[in-house]
Amino acid sequence: MKGLTACGDRLRQAHGLPALLDAACDAFEVILTVIGTYEDATSTGMAITFLLVATRAANARDAVLFAPSLPPRALHPRQAGQQPERGSAPDIRAAVADLSQLLASQLARTATTLAAGPDKAACHDAGRYARQIHDLLARSAP
Amino acid sequence: MTHRATFGDILHAAHQSLAHRRGEPPPTRGDVEEVSRSLLQVITILSRYAQDTATAFSDVPHHTPALLSPWGRGRAQAREALTHAAGFLLRPGTGRPVWPGPRSASPLARRLDEMAACLAAGRDLLHTHFAPGPHGGRAHRSEWALTITSERVNRALLAELGALAQPIAHYGANVALAPVPGTPPGADQRRALNAACQWLWVLAASIEAASRQEPVPAADRQLLAAIPVHALPARPALAAADTVPSLCDAVITTAERLRYLAWQSARQPPWAPALTATSLRQAAETSTLTSHHCALLAATLAEPTASGAFPGARADLDAAARAARTARGTWYQSARALRQITTDTRGHITPAAAEARDLAWWTGRLAYADPAWTLASGPRCAPRPPQHLAPQPDDVPQVVAAVHQATDALALLADTEYGQLHGAIQAGRIMVPTRTLTDDYDIPHPYAPAPEERTGALLARYRDATQASRQATAPIGRAAHATGAPSRVLTTAQEATQTVGPASPAGGLGDHDSNRGQDRAEDMTGPLQRTLLGLGVTSAALLARGASLDQASQQLLIDAADQLPPAHNRPHTTTLNKTAASASLFNHALASGHPQAAQLLRQPCQTQRAGPEPELEPEP
């Protein structure tokens, strides 16, 4: 769960719009990676929930990707040879739910501070998708 | 149900045009001039139909049989007969009809006008599936276009034309040979009208001869009748869908809407801004869900409590559930591959992707027990038990139809989504987030054109989804046949567009529609028997003798036609109709439907209407 935790830390520590967008973009990518690791090994029901989550994560990442204030290069390049996340499916589900809740709140809060424009729209859209991810995972909890 | 008008609705109305109606005069009387004018309209439209079956869609590759095959010959003879029939009715000034045409007053003319309007509307309906294409050709506007141009549907259409021609000829000839006292004699017109009707009998006989050699399966006629107008059905209303039958209707309507919209999407250029990763993902995600729901429904139907009345369908339903699960897996992998890419535009959702979501929603409502189920409820709900899904055996076909329609719509969607994706790749519209690329790439931009290994993998996943979705239609199609589900026309349509050469009757010889001649008994009253009836004779013995003499004279003429020497310069058609009595005899022979009788009219060198026509001689 280290990757998800690290994403949460970066989001909390992000100062300024470019850093927040960069952290959010990476966070959604990490969610996609984590889900990709687990979806093959889980039940059909959970796999479909993961599918819905991943679609929203990809849409959210795309929303951030086209924000003008996103730095052209990642501020924290991926490190080669990173270990895949470890944990049970319920643990992963809970960790992704927490991260998506944080993403939703951070992005929504940032959106309120921005003037109307593509950055605001990106934060708003990505925050909305993050909220949907959280709701999906919360509803699928046993 | 979608309540879209079908060709069958219009065809039925055309057949009913000449039926007896309470409170209306029978279509047995009419002014010769009016009837001739109205009949010409009908014949003109019939000719256009016949032309459509032969050449109108020549840009569309379809398998036209050789001229010497039964249907090739039948089609050619039908067109020839219609040309001759029209030739007898065309008079100076009739070539360019005035619009709006004068309103007919006589009963038969009015009925023929009705029929002409129905037939024109039916042809228009078929043509809604085509649009002007490049280089003067025709473009397909729906998946029905291929069905309409298929040989099997063309044969069914010709069979319908033949069935329509018989009563027209019967009533038209009656008017021609029964002048109304006090009206102008109009000998030429009556003779011409009768000759036109005789050619309609030839048309019917030609098609019937082809039908006898290669019967038109009932399924092909049903397929022709099921062709809907090319229009987007209305979106089902949530408020009205609270029972299994209403949910099935909603699934079927949404599947039809999806097919319509998927076809429309496929015609969009690759640079259309509505094609986005968001849209592609939604279509793939919701198609995964729909496949999952179809698998659940098919598995539930396969349980003995649901399919007890259809034991023959159980294996197919089991196979359908397995095939839907396979399709679900391939759609899932497509959705997964789509996470790795994005597009140069985003946010837009194509109408097809929006409808795919609706289909997942409706199939979910049908599959799960929770009446308040939504997409957000997810897949961990209890499925609807078999005794609730199909409590009565009569309920099974409609649920099978819903699953079949949904599966078929996904097969088309997979195909069109693949095509759109392929076009977008060619247009360089597929991008990737650069932070997901390996360190070998050094791109100072958040996104960049997708490398070939990603687009290639994506297309491969879509190819799998297309193949699996198509394969999933086969077992549920068989289940539709086994349960008599209305959706079985989808399978017939698929077969019709794949069949080369003569179609094999699906259910053996007994399956072909033998109903066409069921109303012939009335038509077969011969001239002698009619005369006896006209005299008020009611004696069964006398009428039977009259009938047998009529039959003998009919056979005599047919035999005579068979023995005409090939080079014999046969008399002109109008000469054959010289007297009302001889015209009656010829009409009776032609109405038998015997193909040999047509030889009485055909000439080695057809030069109809050459020279002045002989005057009608008075009855002796």
Side-chain angles (χ1 to χ4, degrees), chain B residues 336-357:
Chain B
R336 204 169 169 176
L338 284 167
R339 298 172 200 163
Q340 312 298 321
I341 58 101
T342 185
T343 43
D344 55 358
T345 56
R346 62 190 178 80
H348 298 284
I349 300 286
T350 62
E355 207 61 35
R357 187 178 188 279

Side-chain angles (χ1 to χ4, degrees), chain B residues 396-482:
Chain B
V396 173
Q398 191 65 357
V399 185
V400 169
V403 178
H404 190 191
Q405 290 274 2
T407 308
D408 188 77
L410 286 193
L412 179 63
L413 181 68
D415 212 23
T416 56
E417 292 282 291
Y418 173 83
Q420 283 190 290
L421 186 61
H422 191 266
I425 290 169
Q426 300 284 326
R429 294 194 54 205
I430 304 299
M431 324 293 281
V432 284
T434 48
R435 60 185 67 208
T436 65
L437 296 173
T438 61
D439 294 341
D440 299 340
Y441 293 90
D442 181 25
I443 303 167
H445 208 267
Y447 48 89
E452 206 174 315
E453 64 262 24
R454 288 218 188 161
T455 55
L458 185 58
L459 282 177
R461 299 290 82 77
Y462 265 85
R463 266 195 298 273
D464 293 345
T466 304
Q467 196 179 0
S469 300
R470 197 166 293 157
Q471 284 170 351
T473 61
I476 192 68
R478 289 196 299 271
H481 271 284

Side-chain angles (χ1 to χ4, degrees), chain A residues 22 26 29 36 39-40 44-45 47-48 51-52 54-56 58-59 61-63 65-66 72-73 78 139-140, chain B residues 278 281 285 288-289 292 328 332 335-336 339 341-343 346 376 379-380 433 435-437 442 444-447:
Chain A
D22 183 72
D26 280 347
E29 274 297 342
E39 61 194 337
D40 287 334
T44 302
I48 288 178
L51 168 72
L52 302 177
T55 300
R56 277 137 197 85
N59 288 343
R61 180 216 45 212
D62 287 0
L65 202 61
F66 286 82
R73 291 176 196 273
R78 284 189 310 170
R139 208 174 287 123
S140 70
Chain B
T278 326
R281 284 181 199 128
E285 174 194 276
T288 308
L289 294 177
H292 180 62
R328 178 189 71 194
Y332 193 107
R336 204 169 169 176
R339 298 172 200 163
I341 58 101
T342 185
T343 43
R346 62 190 178 80
R380 301 173 88 181
R435 60 185 67 208
T436 65
L437 296 173
D442 181 25
H445 208 267
Y447 48 89

